[in-house]
Amino acid sequence: MRRIDSPARVWGHYASLIILAIICLTPIWVMVSTSFKNEVVIFDAKPVWFFFFPTMENYDYILTRGKFDRYFVNSVIVATVSTFLTLFLGGLCAYALARLEFKGRRFVANSTLLVRMVPPAVLAVPAFAMVVTLNLNADLVVLIFFYTALNLPFAIWLLFGFYKQIPVELEEAAIVDGASPLQVFFQVLFPMMKSGYAVAGIFTFRIAWNEFILALLLTGRNSRTLPVGAAGFITDTGVEWGRIMAMGTLIVIPPLLFTFFAARQIISGLTAGSVKG
Amino acid sequence: MSGVVLRDVVKAYGDVVIIPKLDLEIYEGEFVVIVGPSGCGKSTTLRMIAGLEMVTSGEISIAGKDVTYAQPKARDIAMVFQSYALYPHMDVAGNMSFALRLARVPKAEIAERVQRAAEMLELTPYLDRKPKDLSGGQRQRVAMGRSIVRDAYCFLFDEPLSNLDAKLRATMRTELAILHKKLERTMVYVTHDQIEAMTMADRIVIMKDGVIQQIGSPREVYTAPENLFVAGFIGSPSMNLMDAELTRNNGALYVKGQGFELPVPGRLQERADTAKKSNIVLGLRPEHFSAADRGNGAFAPIELAVDVAEYIGSSQFIAASVGGKNLTAAVEVGPDAAPMESGTYYFDTERLYLFDRESGQAL
């Protein structure tokens, strides 16, 4: 039965939600508002929170005089290609772990996530050493390779859980119905795995899009991604907050769009009704 | 040779042998039910026919074609799974037409076949629903519809009714039997429920530990069980089995145990004479007990100490003991009779069974 809460309880509930929202949204507001301020307002001794005369000069500068377009293209390439690779390889590995019997399967399935627990900062130096030793050019392929490697364990672990939820009878039914292995995958499994791939995709894309340390170390002048580009506004002569924040605001938009798009694929209980539980 | 034929089929996982050696011939158009306790290898047998499990050795042929190593789709079979296994992202029509779409059947024909199957199974109003919006019985019918549209040579059922409630199960049993009459296809049905086996099968295959115990019509396996396992498995409530020995009294042969002595019927005299007299198991079906002597000379008295009598309408199930051994009897006494009490009951000796205790085989 539904409990009827007292008004005080309801108010307390909403008050705590509002406080949480303020905590989360304040930095975003600071970023967005600062991006529309000129230097004078930004460095005013008394911070201006809401009422100021907005200016587009920061956006104008980064979009016309910086290398924003190149960084943006680099970021899009790195994030989408590594996300695609991660989902593709991760999906295959997860399927194998969930369905096939082989030696060491349990160990691999249980220890995959451990690899993900290593922070990227720890990997930075060995990664750099590896790139130098192998004489790889500082280009996007290297970054894509590292992001894929970095994200694979998490994607495998996540998709493994989703695959395990799909009853094996569904695959068998499809096989008896005359489906080839590829048809089983694309027409039966994949539609049910959409949620899993969407979740894994959101995580992978965000990490690849936002990652800074490896990108800083492993990219050259022409292969920088957006976060590294934004850091370029920290110069010897000072920190150009307005431009950094304008760049930050623009950086946030694509993953936001991607998340909204991907999240629409997330439907819980997708296998409901397929088998009697 | 048409039908489904399994010859010298062996199935093992590593060192664990599930099915030591199996020979089975299912005739074309026949409804065969494979029945047995869980773990007896019945589902494995069905899955080997389907091609979902490979045989370790032996041969399987369907419609005269050797399919031992053929892919499931090359075997011309349709299968209904215990868990239904409906595709959750497709509606009912999509589920039913999936196999046809894979086989690139023309659209008009797919629509027609789905429509026909839906009508047969009374699913027409639900064709655009997703499985999650259907009841258990409807899902079960969709699973069946999915195989019917295939128009396959052989239909395989893996305990398809075990997830339904008792009433629905009885209805679906009838529908399946009707379906078999309409389609006239070979059907192999696996279940652990002997009632399903008895009511639907043309022939029943009873399995235990991967070995076929008996093959026969429902009447044959009920009236002439070949061994102790079949005797105890078929029939509900199950047959009472009691240790006994054969004795001769005034020239007549009796089967005697603690608390009872019943004459051996004429049909068993000859074989009982040659059997080992001291190592006998007596089988008495509960429904062959009677509260009164029916007076045809076949009924022999037996003293029962009644523990409890269960009222089930026109009959009563009696939990009793004879010579300290528990026993069940089902006596027809009419719906108004008082609960039965201890005393003399009668058993139809024409219908008693004798088994050799060592081999378990019927005499």
Side-chain angles (χ1 to χ4, degrees), chain A residues 17-79:
Chain A
L17 284 180
I18 288 168
I19 292 169
L20 270 177
I22 290 172
I23 293 171
C24 291
L25 292 175
T26 303
I28 296 173
W29 172 246
V30 169
M31 177 178 78
V32 176
S33 65
T34 306
S35 74
F36 288 105
K37 291 172 183 171
N38 61 31
E39 291 237 324
V40 179
V41 183
I42 293 169
F43 287 106
D44 199 327
K46 259 172 63 189
V48 184
W49 283 90
F50 295 104
F51 302 106
F52 56 91
F53 193 77
T55 172
M56 294 298 286
E57 67 177 51
N58 293 320
Y59 288 96
D60 183 51
Y61 182 89
I62 58 167
L63 290 175
T64 55
R65 275 187 273 173
K67 281 189 183 167
F68 182 85
D69 46 352
R70 165 160 288 173
Y71 299 158
F72 181 79
V73 170
N74 288 345
S75 270
V76 168
I77 293 173
V78 169

Side-chain angles (χ1 to χ4, degrees), chain A residues 2-192:
Chain A
R2 216 188 135 95
R3 198 161 38 110
I4 298 168
D5 288 334
S6 67
R9 241 187 115 89
V10 174
W11 278 107
H13 184 69
Y14 278 105
S16 53
L17 284 180
I18 288 168
I19 292 169
L20 270 177
I22 290 172
I23 293 171
C24 291
L25 292 175
T26 303
I28 296 173
W29 172 246
V30 169
M31 177 178 78
V32 176
S33 65
T34 306
S35 74
F36 288 105
K37 291 172 183 171
N38 61 31
E39 291 237 324
V40 179
V41 183
I42 293 169
F43 287 106
D44 199 327
K46 259 172 63 189
V48 184
W49 283 90
F50 295 104
F51 302 106
F52 56 91
F53 193 77
T55 172
M56 294 298 286
E57 67 177 51
N58 293 320
Y59 288 96
D60 183 51
Y61 182 89
I62 58 167
L63 290 175
T64 55
R65 275 187 273 173
K67 281 189 183 167
F68 182 85
D69 46 352
R70 165 160 288 173
Y71 299 158
F72 181 79
V73 170
N74 288 345
S75 270
V76 168
I77 293 173
V78 169
T80 46
V81 174
S82 72
T83 301
F84 177 79
L85 272 178
T86 306
L87 294 187
F88 179 72
L89 295 174
L92 293 180
C93 295
Y95 180 80
L97 286 175
R99 285 287 192 268
L100 309 180
E101 283 295 331
F102 53 89
K103 222 174 187 174
R105 183 183 74 102
R106 191 181 287 257
F107 174 75
V108 174
N110 293 335
S111 59
T112 310
L113 203 57
L114 283 177
V115 185
R116 183 65 189 88
M117 291 178 185
V118 180
V122 174
L123 298 175
V125 174
F128 184 72
M130 222 161 114
V131 170
V132 171
T133 316
L134 295 175
N135 203 13
L136 298 169
N137 289 330
D139 63 14
L140 297 178
V141 177
V142 176
L143 211 52
I144 288 170
F145 171 75
F146 273 104
Y147 286 167
T148 306
L150 200 66
N151 282 321
L152 256 179
F154 178 75
I156 293 171
W157 174 78
L158 192 96
L159 293 172
F160 171 68
F162 276 86
Y163 271 117
K164 281 202 89 161
Q165 280 181 17
I166 296 181
V168 75
E169 285 100 327
L170 280 176
E171 286 170 58
E172 293 180 343
I175 292 169
V176 172
D177 273 346
S180 67
L182 279 180
Q183 283 169 324
V184 172
F185 185 81
F186 283 109
Q187 298 194 32
V188 176
L189 287 180
F190 189 71
M192 282 187 282

Side-chain angles (χ1 to χ4, degrees), chain B residues 5-6 55 114 131 189 194 227-228 272 316 330 340:
Chain B
V5 182
L6 289 88
V55 298
V114 168
Y189 187 108
Q194 55 102 13
N227 58 39
L228 275 170
Q316 289 184 22
M340 301 303 287

Side-chain angles (χ1 to χ4, degrees), chain B residues 308-331:
Chain B
V308 66
E310 294 172 340
Y311 180 82
I312 54 154
S314 59
S315 303
Q316 289 184 22
F317 282 167
I318 297 171
S321 57
V322 171
K325 178 110 170 62
N326 289 335
L327 170 153
T328 309
V331 291

